[in-house]
Amino acid sequence: MRRHPLSPLWRVLEDPDPRHGMRFFDGHDGWTFHPYPRLAAGAFEVAARLRDRGVAPGCAVAVTATQGPEFVSAFLGTLAAGATPAPLAPPGAFQQRAEYRRHVERALAAVRPSAVVALGEARQADDVLTAVGRGGDRARLLELTAEDVFARSGAPTGLAVAPERALVQFTSGSSGPPKAVAVSSEALAANIAAIHRWLRMGTDDATATWLPLHHDMGLVGCLLTPLANGGDVWVMKPQQFVRSPVEWLRCFGDRGARLTASPGFGLAHVVRRVRPEALQGLDFGDWRAVITGAERIDPDVLRGFAGLLAPHGFSSRALLPAYGLAEATLAVTGAGLDDEPGTLRVDRRSLVVGRPVRPADTEDPAGTLELVDCGRPLADGSSVLVTDRVGRPLSDGHVGEIVVGGPSVALGHVGTDEAAGRTPFSGGQVRTGDFGFLRLGRLYVVGRLGDSLKCRATTVFAEDLEAAVARLTGLRHAGAAVLLGVAEGVETAVVVVERHPGPWVAEVRRLLRHRVDGITTVVVTGPRGTVLRTSSGKPRRRVMWDAHVAGRLGRTVVDQADPDAGPDAGQRDTMNGRSAPRPAGRGAAVEALSR
C-alpha cells in the first residue's frame, strides 16, 4: 500500500499524544491549552460536517477564522475529508472593509470551493457572507462556533486519500493582487521534511509564534511542521504580539519554547519596544532557532536583536536567515544551524542584472550595501539558479533573477492567472521575481525585480531605501515605505511616511539626493494607515504606486523635487495637483509591525 505523503501530519489525527498540544494566548496573562486529542476530535467533527454538506475528496474548502484552535481543527478536518483547504485572511487583517470583500471575492473566484467554513469572528463578518452570496450559492457557507467544533468531540473516522492539492495558499500581495498557489501533497510533505531536518526537530522542541496562521510562514513553518513533529506550539495573535512582544519572548525565556520564525520587521519591533529591564529573570540559553526571512534581511536588525537578548543567554547562532516563497510551499534556502549569520559587503553600483558583483570599496562607505547570507537549498533534490533577463543561467557571483526548482515547488497558480496562461512555473521550476546572486553556492537576496530602478548605471532597490529611511533619527518609530516606478514618463521614487511633516522631511530629502540623484523624488506624509500592508505585514508597493499615480494615496502633504529643482523645493497639500480623499482608517494590528 502506498504510503500517505502526509503521514507525519496524519499522526496528530490518528494517534494524538495527550501530553502535547497547542496553547493560545488570551490577550491578558493566561494561555489556554488544547491537547492534540481535542484538536483531532474537532477535526473529525469538521470533516463529518463537510461530508454532510456533500464535500467530496478532491474538492476545495475555503477556511476563514481568527488565530485560534478552531482554525487548526478546521484545516485538519478539511484534509481528513480528503478536500483541499484554502485558508483566507480574517477580516481584521485588512484596513478597509471594501478591500477585504474584494479579497474574499477574488479568492473564491480563484479557488471555486465547494464549501466556505467561517469560524469565530469571521463567522459574523458581513463581508464574508456578502462575498459568498455573490458567488451564487450561499448554501456553500458553513458557519461554526467553537462549541460546534469541540463540544461533540467528533469520533475518529477513516482518513481519506490525500488530495492532489494538499493546500491552496495566497501570496502576500506585496507586488500585486494576492495569487492563489496550489501546493501538492508531495510538495507540502517535502517542505515539512526539509524544515524538520534543518532544525533537527524532536518532540521536546516547542515552537512559539505570532505569525498569521493563514499565511505561508505561519501556516507551514509554525503550524504544520510542528504538528507533524508532535511538539508543543504556543500561539499569539499578531495584534497581541504588537502590544506585548515581551509575552512572546517569555515563551522562550521561561516557558520552554525553542523554535520560531519571524520576518525582519517583527524582530525590529522587539528591538524598538522591549526595554532591557523587561527581560530580567528570563533565560534564552535554550532558544535554538529564529528563522528570519519574508523580505530582504537587514543585518543591523539581526545585530540589534541578538544584542538585546545576549545578556540573558541568547546566542546569535540561533538566528537563521532564510529565503522562501509561497510558490515553493515555503522554505527554499537557510543558513546552517549553529552557524553565525554571515554577511557580505558589496559595491551597490555593481548590482546590475547579468554583471558580476564587486566587493565594496572601503573608501566609499556610502556606496556599500551589506547583504545577509541566506544559506543553501534545504530540500533534497532542490535547486536555486540565477538567470539573466531572458532566462539564461548566470555563473557564480552574477546578479539576476532567482529561479527555484525541486520537490517543494508548487503545482502553479490557480484562477485568472492560470486561465490566462500567465505563469512563472515551467518544467518543475518557478521564476521568483526576486533579484539576487549566488556566491559559493550560498544565496544573497537583493530585492524584488519590480521594486527597483536604474539610476546612473546603478540599480536602486526599494528595500534598500526603506532600510535607510528607517534609520533616520526622526523616523525610527514611524511606518514608512518606498515606491519606485515611472510616473508620466519620469523615473520616480516616492517615500510614504506615517508622520506629520517636520524636520525629518529635510533628512529624507538629503538621503534621496544622495542615493537616487537624477530621479524625481516625492515625499508623502499621512496618518497611520497611509502605508498599505499585506495581511503578513509587507508594504503593498504596487497598490500604493497605483494610488500615487491616480492621486488617491490619501490626504497627504507632498514634498516633491525633480532633478532640476533646487534642494529646497517646497511642500504642498495636494498629490500631483489633485485633491486627496480621506485617509485610510487605522490599519490592522499586524500592519503596525513596521512602526
Side-chain angles (χ1 to χ4, degrees):
M1 182 177 178
R2 178 174 176 265
R3 183 174 182 267
H4 199 298
L6 296 179
S7 57
L9 266 181
W10 264 202
R11 283 200 298 268
V12 81
L13 295 174
E14 292 183 313
D15 187 24
D17 186 342
R19 298 171 299 174
H20 295 288
M22 300 184 69
R23 291 171 174 82
F24 296 86
F25 186 52
D26 66 8
H28 302 289
D29 57 0
W31 295 78
T32 303
F33 180 57
H34 289 259
Y36 283 135
R38 175 177 170 82
L39 293 170
F44 287 120
E45 179 65 28
V46 172
R49 288 174 179 260
L50 289 174
R51 291 189 182 104
D52 289 345
R53 287 294 184 98
V55 174
C59 292
V61 174
V63 179
T64 178
T66 49
Q67 198 114 321
E70 308 89 26
F71 172 83
V72 178
S73 288
F75 186 96
L76 294 176
T78 301
L79 283 175
T84 300
L88 305 180
F94 286 76
Q95 291 173 305
Q96 299 175 358
R97 288 188 59 182
E99 185 182 11
Y100 180 64
R101 186 179 295 129
R102 286 193 298 271
H103 166 75
V104 175
E105 289 174 348
R106 283 195 297 261
L108 297 182
V111 176
R112 290 177 285 182
S114 296
V116 179
V117 179
L119 307 110
E121 296 171 14
R123 182 175 58 88
Q124 301 171 354
D126 293 339
D127 303 302
V128 175
L129 307 181
T130 300
V132 175
R134 287 182 180 179
D137 183 8
R138 196 165 179 106
R140 292 182 298 165
L141 184 64
L142 177 59
E143 299 175 76
L144 298 176
T145 64
E147 290 74 20
D148 294 329
V149 174
F150 296 115
R152 296 201 297 177
S153 298
T157 59
L159 297 172
V161 175
E164 179 189 15
R165 298 175 177 180
L167 166 67
V168 174
Q169 59 183 351
F170 292 87
T171 62
S172 64
S174 59
S175 58
K179 296 180 177 67
V181 181
V183 178
S184 70
S185 294
E186 289 77 11
L188 178 58
N191 213 248
I192 288 174
I195 297 170
H196 189 276
R197 287 193 302 271
W198 178 29
L199 302 184
R200 303 175 204 154
M201 294 176 71
T203 54
D204 291 335
D205 290 323
T207 296
T209 184
W210 56 266
L211 294 175
L213 294 182
H214 66 272
H215 195 255
D216 56 357
M217 184 181 271
L219 177 62
V220 179
C222 293
L223 177 61
L224 300 184
T225 299
L227 287 180
N229 180 56
D232 289 334
V233 186
W234 301 75
V235 180
M236 296 178 72
K237 296 178 180 178
Q239 59 267 34
Q240 293 168 341
F241 168 76
V242 170
R243 289 193 296 266
S244 182
V246 171
E247 189 68 32
W248 179 68
L249 293 176
R250 288 194 185 109
C251 292
F252 308 95
D254 65 10
R255 297 191 179 108
R258 299 174 182 174
L259 311 174
T260 193
S262 174
F265 57 76
L267 303 185
H269 181 67
V270 170
V271 174
R272 286 195 298 267
R273 288 289 302 275
V274 176
R275 304 276 69 84
E277 55 270 21
L279 302 177
Q280 293 302 316
L282 299 183
D283 182 357
F284 301 117
D286 291 331
W287 195 349
R288 199 166 78 239
V290 186
I291 302 169
T292 184
E295 58 185 0
R296 198 179 80 196
I297 302 165
D298 185 341
D300 286 340
V301 168
L302 299 185
R303 287 188 281 261
F305 186 83
L308 174 68
L309 305 187
H312 302 275
F314 182 82
S315 170
S316 58
R317 293 174 183 268
L319 292 166
L320 299 178
Y323 172 73
L325 67 163
E327 285 86 351
T329 306
L330 175 62
V332 174
T333 70
L337 197 64
D338 299 328
D339 289 345
E340 287 286 351
T343 65
L344 182 67
R345 295 180 180 272
V346 302
D347 184 340
R348 67 174 71 249
R349 290 164 297 192
S350 68
L351 297 174
V352 178
V353 172
R355 296 185 184 176
V357 178
R358 293 194 302 269
D361 182 352
T362 56
E363 303 297 323
D364 180 21
T368 295
L369 181 61
E370 185 180 12
L371 297 172
V372 173
D373 174 359
C374 292
R376 300 179 185 276
L378 297 172
D380 290 342
S382 62
S383 64
V384 175
L385 302 175
V386 173
T387 67
D388 64 15
R389 296 192 183 277
V390 296
R392 293 174 299 202
L394 295 168
S395 57
D396 194 74
H398 284 66
V399 179
E401 183 178 8
I402 300 168
V403 178
V404 175
S408 293
V409 170
L411 295 168
H413 293 141
V414 297
T416 54
D417 287 341
E418 184 178 72
R422 296 188 298 271
T423 174
F425 296 88
S426 177
Q429 295 181 323
V430 59
R431 301 192 316 276
T432 67
D434 290 322
F435 195 80
F437 60 92
L438 292 165
R439 183 173 182 269
L440 302 178
R442 309 182 74 86
L443 180 64
Y444 294 81
V445 180
V446 179
R448 290 289 298 172
L449 286 171
D451 294 330
S452 62
L453 280 177
K454 290 289 290 294
C455 176
R456 298 185 179 179
T458 299
T459 305
V460 179
F461 299 93
E463 295 96 332
D464 190 20
L465 292 177
E466 280 174 7
V469 168
R471 295 189 189 102
L472 295 177
T473 303
L475 297 179
R476 288 179 181 166
H477 300 289
V482 174
L483 321 175
L484 300 174
V486 178
E488 299 179 353
V490 178
E491 292 183 327
T492 303
V494 181
V495 182
V496 186
V497 181
E498 295 176 341
R499 179 151 294 180
H500 293 298
W504 62 265
V505 174
E507 286 188 80
V508 172
R509 286 289 307 285
R510 285 193 291 270
L511 171 68
L512 294 178
R513 284 200 305 274
H514 181 70
R515 291 289 185 88
V516 292
D517 187 26
I519 293 177
T520 293
T521 60
V522 182
V523 180
V524 179
T525 75
R528 290 184 65 180
T530 301
V531 176
L532 304 179
R533 296 189 181 277
T534 71
S535 61
S536 61
K538 298 178 185 178
R540 299 186 67 192
R541 296 191 186 95
R542 183 74 57 81
V543 173
M544 286 188 285
W545 176 263
D546 291 343
H548 162 71
V549 172
R552 295 183 286 100
L553 195 52
R555 180 170 296 171
T556 59
V557 175
V558 178
D559 183 280
Q560 181 164 343
D562 59 46
D564 298 320
D568 299 318
Q571 299 179 4
R572 49 187 187 273
D573 294 324
T574 59
M575 170 66 80
N576 296 335
R578 304 175 178 90
S579 60
R582 289 185 64 81
R586 197 178 186 87
V590 69
E591 293 154 355
L593 290 172
S594 67
R595 302 183 179 96

